[in-house]
Amino acid sequence: MQFSIITISFNRKATIAKAIESVLSQDYKNIQYIVIDGNSTDGTKEIINTYSDKISILISENDKGLYEALNKGMRLATGDLIGIMHSDDEFYDTTVVSQIAAAFQNNPNTNGFYGNGIYVSNNQHKNIIRNRICGECSDKKITSGWLPLHTSVYLKKSVMEKYGYYDEEFKIASDTELLLRYLHLHKLELTYLNFYFVKMRMGGLSTDYNNFFKVLLEDYRIYKKFGLPAYKIVFYKKILTLKQYLKNQNKVTEI
């Protein structure tokens, strides 16, 4: 079976190489690797080009934001399962894709998978800031502010073609809209794999503190779109996030 993994980037010179190398170093080799760059101007394109012979599809051109870029990659993907590796992130280790592949061989009728992840600081020590042990999905959890970690979600290509890609109306939180559409509206069932998929650096678009209120507003609009009690759910969602942060306070944990 083939995986399609999509990396999008715009002016991510400091982190793009590690993101790319974490995909290329996977011990599972049947990967269609798609890199979509938004015509970066800080040297990111030049770094990406050094890996061009190992990237299946490489595009660098202007776009209207990360979700247009992701949709571009989704439409080009030909793999059985599609996943995302953002330019600030890395796989947890070199065996993640092979572990997902083994799970898929044992459960080929699943719509997709999701797992755990950690958020790490931007400093060189990579201290763990937030630990996401996702657990099993339920609609009760979803309507209380829970969603699987977006960058750990791997979906069948056929499922994405049926239920649609990202809603480009939303600029920061369209992953929330997509997951609600799939899991709450269409009651799609995904398989939870209880291991770490990804290490995410703080400071990406959705985790940048400067975007805090923009994310809140988009989350509110998205939950309201699905007829859910938006104020309450957004509040619960932030409480869940805060609890995850607080669990790692007063700890000196490195990876």
Side-chain angles (χ1 to χ4, degrees):
M1 63 164 292
Q2 185 187 58
F3 283 75
S4 291
I5 298 177
I6 301 164
T7 294
I8 62 167
S9 65
F10 180 68
N11 290 347
R12 284 293 184 264
K13 180 180 178 180
T15 59
I16 187 64
K18 287 188 176 182
I20 292 173
E21 288 170 6
S22 80
V23 176
L24 299 179
S25 66
Q26 289 296 296
D27 61 8
Y28 189 90
K29 297 306 179 183
N30 192 3
I31 295 174
Q32 178 199 36
Y33 189 29
I34 301 171
V35 178
I36 310 290
D37 178 71
N39 207 14
S40 294
T41 58
D42 69 338
T44 298
K45 282 195 297 185
E46 289 73 15
I47 294 171
I48 295 171
N49 285 334
T50 66
Y51 298 95
S52 61
D53 61 325
K54 297 170 183 167
I55 295 171
S56 308
I57 298 174
L58 172 56
I59 297 173
S60 186
E61 61 187 18
N62 293 333
D63 56 51
K64 297 176 183 177
L66 72 94
Y67 295 111
E68 182 186 43
L70 279 173
N71 282 342
K72 194 180 300 181
M74 299 291 179
R75 293 186 179 101
L76 292 168
T78 58
D80 301 285
L81 289 175
I82 302 175
I84 295 168
M85 175 55 60
H86 283 318
S87 56
D88 292 318
D89 303 338
E90 302 171 41
F91 277 114
Y92 188 78
D93 61 33
T94 60
T95 69
V96 172
V97 176
S98 61
Q99 290 185 77
I100 301 171
F104 188 67
Q105 288 180 337
N106 292 328
N107 186 12
N109 295 322
T110 186
N111 294 301
F113 299 94
Y114 68 96
N116 306 323
I118 54 174
Y119 292 78
V120 299
S121 63
N122 282 322
N123 65 36
Q124 61 183 343
H125 300 294
K126 294 185 178 178
N127 295 318
I128 297 175
I129 302 299
R130 181 181 172 197
N131 192 10
R132 281 291 312 271
I133 305 295
C134 287
E136 296 289 346
C137 178
S138 72
D139 200 56
K140 181 178 179 181
K141 288 170 68 174
I142 289 170
T143 55
S144 298
W146 177 94
L147 284 171
L149 180 61
H150 174 232
T151 50
S152 78
V153 175
Y154 282 72
L155 294 162
K156 278 184 174 177
K157 169 72 172 178
S158 57
V159 167
M160 300 204 78
E161 288 176 333
K162 180 177 181 178
Y163 294 109
Y165 301 115
Y166 294 95
D167 185 340
E168 295 173 25
E169 174 188 352
F170 302 103
K171 306 303 180 184
I172 297 178
S174 190
D175 50 296
T176 296
E177 193 279 337
L178 181 140
L179 290 172
L180 279 174
R181 183 171 8 115
Y182 280 29
L183 303 179
H184 175 68
L185 180 63
H186 296 297
K187 309 300 181 187
L188 201 71
E189 293 186 1
L190 301 181
T191 301
Y192 171 54
L193 300 178
N194 188 15
F195 61 86
Y196 288 105
F197 283 29
V198 64
K199 296 183 287 189
M200 303 174 63
R201 285 183 182 82
M202 298 299 294
L205 189 61
S206 63
T207 59
D208 188 331
Y209 296 119
N210 294 323
N211 288 322
F212 178 80
F213 290 106
K214 292 180 182 178
V215 173
L216 280 180
L217 179 59
E218 282 207 359
D219 273 350
Y220 171 80
R221 290 171 56 208
I222 289 165
Y223 283 104
K224 189 174 180 180
K225 171 183 175 179
F226 289 98
L228 295 168
Y231 280 121
K232 182 172 74 172
I233 294 176
V234 170
F235 174 75
Y236 287 160
K237 186 175 182 180
K238 295 309 173 186
I239 291 296
L240 287 172
T241 300
L242 180 61
K243 286 181 178 179
Q244 290 161 3
Y245 280 123
L246 291 176
K247 277 187 178 180
N248 285 288
Q249 298 302 306
N250 304 317
K251 292 182 182 179
V252 182
T253 307
E254 297 187 5
I255 56 173

